[in-house]
Amino acid sequence: MFQKVHLRLTLLCTGITAIIMIIMSFCYLYVSETGLYRNQFQAFKNDMNTISTNLEQQTVISMEWLSKMEAQGNYLFFVLDNGTPFLFNQLNDPKENSSRDILLQESRDAYTSQSDLEVSTRTGVFTTITHCEYEFTSPSTETKYYGSVIRMGSPDSTLEVIVLSSLLNLENQIREQRLRFLLIDVAAVLLLSIFSWFFTGKLLKPIVENQKKQALFIASASHELRTPLSVILSAAECCKSAPPERRDGFLKTICQEGLRVSSLVSDMLTLSQSDNQRFPIRMEPTELDTLLMNSYEAFQPLAQEKSISLSIELPEGALPACPADPERISQVISILIHNAISYTPEHGKITLSVSKHKERFHISVTDNGIGISDEDKKKIFDRFYRVEKSRSTKDHFGLGLSIAYEIVKAHGGNIQVSDVLGGGSCFTVVL
């Protein structure tokens, strides 16, 4: 299931980003190409202004000057005197001459068909000079041109100069730019797909791990519930056929196992509230030394039953109040003391302490029991995790430390475990 989600998320991220990138590329190319055409046309108009000024200042238009102007600007010149072409237009080979004649006619047709052209007029000493620029596409070659018609009029004659500039170089430049953008976009989409695959994989990783933890949680809860429920059902069946004097024993077993089931369900509900971000925490000024003393007095009889020495160490001066939920912190202390008593052998020693270092409060429960290995320290706060052998007891479901961890985390603190010199463990709650 998660593989399909991973693939779909990758395609979604890549697709959306690629679409945005392609749209932005088209927008850039449109603006860029529009600017190139506009700048090219403006440069052409400026050149035509210069050429028309030069024509005005010349009394003779030589073939040398026309050839030079064509070579400098990559232009084609057509000069007509009263509608008659100059010999300059007839000095090419027959094929090229025919092509030029066709192009001349096409340019004149394009000029006459456009009625909204902007005409620039300037009056010289002897003549009136007009010129206008336009764009057209040659029907015979499908090539775009910028054209300019320059007219110089006098009482005796009219000189007409038609200048054409091919846009092949500009179109090749635009074509190369489009190809570069295409290659860049293709490479970017490939890189995006790779990045999206790893990125969505990282996004899904905690969800996958959480789903595995949930599956493990359900499996572990089912396993833990199965045993007491089986005992309850067996005891109930035995009650049916047992003599009256033995029924009390079976009923006692049913009550004990029922309490175990109730405790397990209560712990799971507590953890469920934590998962749903609805963990009830009521912060108020709390005297931690008083809480620790109360827990010490509550567990003293249980410690004496197991011949365990339970002691408490309090600072000489009074501790300031700590903002915390007293009921929840008492629950954490009870979990730690209960674990310490359960896993400390007879004649062992458990020490409770509370102190304040700078702005932090430290509550510690130290025992000289069997200790916890480095490998188990990494998992000790996981749900339903219990260290094998001596730490797996019937009275523990492996949820106590998980609940303590969630409570402390909800307070913005942390809980940690460390080894004790000579053997044993020390659980420290920092608030």
Side-chain angles (χ1 to χ4, degrees), residues 158-322:
T158 299
L159 181 68
E160 186 178 67
V161 179
I162 299 175
V163 185
L164 302 181
S165 174
S166 174
L167 299 184
L168 277 178
N169 291 336
L170 180 60
E171 290 180 339
N172 289 336
Q173 179 183 348
I174 290 174
R175 195 175 296 110
E176 291 176 1
Q177 180 176 262
R178 290 178 179 178
L179 180 60
R180 283 195 299 268
F181 265 81
L182 175 62
L183 295 176
I184 291 172
D185 287 345
V186 170
V189 169
L190 291 176
L191 291 175
L192 276 171
S193 61
I194 296 172
F195 171 77
S196 298
W197 176 262
F198 287 103
F199 180 70
T200 53
K202 285 189 174 293
L203 287 179
L204 288 173
K205 186 176 180 181
I207 301 175
V208 174
E209 291 178 353
N210 186 56
Q211 193 269 344
K212 290 180 179 178
K213 287 182 179 179
Q214 287 183 352
L216 180 61
F217 182 86
I218 294 172
S220 300
S222 301
H223 175 75
E224 295 292 347
L225 286 169
R226 185 184 297 116
T227 301
L229 288 176
S230 298
V231 174
I232 290 173
L233 291 174
S234 299
E237 286 293 330
C238 292
C239 278
K240 294 179 180 179
S241 57
E245 62 273 11
R246 294 190 59 188
R247 288 181 182 175
D248 290 341
F250 290 121
L251 291 174
K252 183 179 179 181
T253 300
I254 291 173
C255 290
Q256 290 176 344
E257 296 301 322
L259 290 174
R260 289 190 68 228
V261 172
S262 177
S263 175
L264 175 59
V265 172
S266 177
D267 290 345
M268 289 193 295
L269 287 175
T270 300
L271 291 172
S272 175
Q273 289 177 328
S274 173
D275 292 339
N276 295 328
Q277 305 296 322
R278 294 182 300 175
F279 208 69
I281 297 293
R282 299 176 180 86
M283 305 291 279
E284 60 182 70
T286 305
E287 296 178 355
L288 297 181
D289 48 358
T290 302
L291 289 184
L292 197 64
M293 181 63 72
N294 293 339
S295 298
Y296 166 77
E297 294 174 353
F299 281 93
Q300 184 66 37
L302 182 60
Q304 288 179 352
E305 287 182 12
K306 293 192 63 175
S307 301
I308 294 174
S309 172
L310 182 63
S311 61
I312 185 170
E313 296 178 356
L314 299 175
E316 295 182 359
L319 284 175
C322 172

Side-chain angles (χ1 to χ4, degrees), residues 366-381:
T366 307
D367 65 64
N368 63 347
I370 61 175
I372 303 173
S373 67
D374 292 337
E375 183 66 26
D376 291 326
K377 285 189 183 74
K378 302 175 183 178
K379 305 176 183 178
I380 199 69
F381 297 106

Side-chain angles (χ1 to χ4, degrees), residues 98-166:
S98 176
S99 300
R100 287 173 67 99
D101 289 342
I102 295 173
L103 186 58
L104 173 61
Q105 186 60 44
E106 290 173 346
S107 66
R108 298 187 73 181
D109 293 341
Y111 170 70
T112 55
S113 65
Q114 300 183 42
S115 58
D116 57 344
L117 296 177
E118 181 181 352
V119 180
S120 298
T121 304
R122 184 174 66 256
T123 303
V125 179
F126 302 105
T127 61
T128 298
I129 301 175
T130 63
H131 68 90
C132 65
E133 287 72 39
Y134 57 96
E135 179 183 346
F136 77 98
T137 301
S138 170
S140 60
T141 60
E142 298 297 328
T143 304
K144 289 184 178 180
Y145 287 90
Y146 286 146
S148 178
V149 176
I150 304 173
R151 284 196 175 96
M152 302 174 63
S154 67
D156 300 328
S157 63
T158 299
L159 181 68
E160 186 178 67
V161 179
I162 299 175
V163 185
L164 302 181
S165 174
S166 174

Side-chain angles (χ1 to χ4, degrees), residues 71-94:
Q72 285 181 348
N74 292 320
Y75 296 137
L76 291 175
F77 277 77
F78 299 90
V79 184
L80 297 90
D81 186 9
N82 292 324
T84 303
F86 271 24
L87 290 177
F88 172 77
N89 297 326
Q90 307 297 325
L91 295 179
N92 303 291
D93 59 65

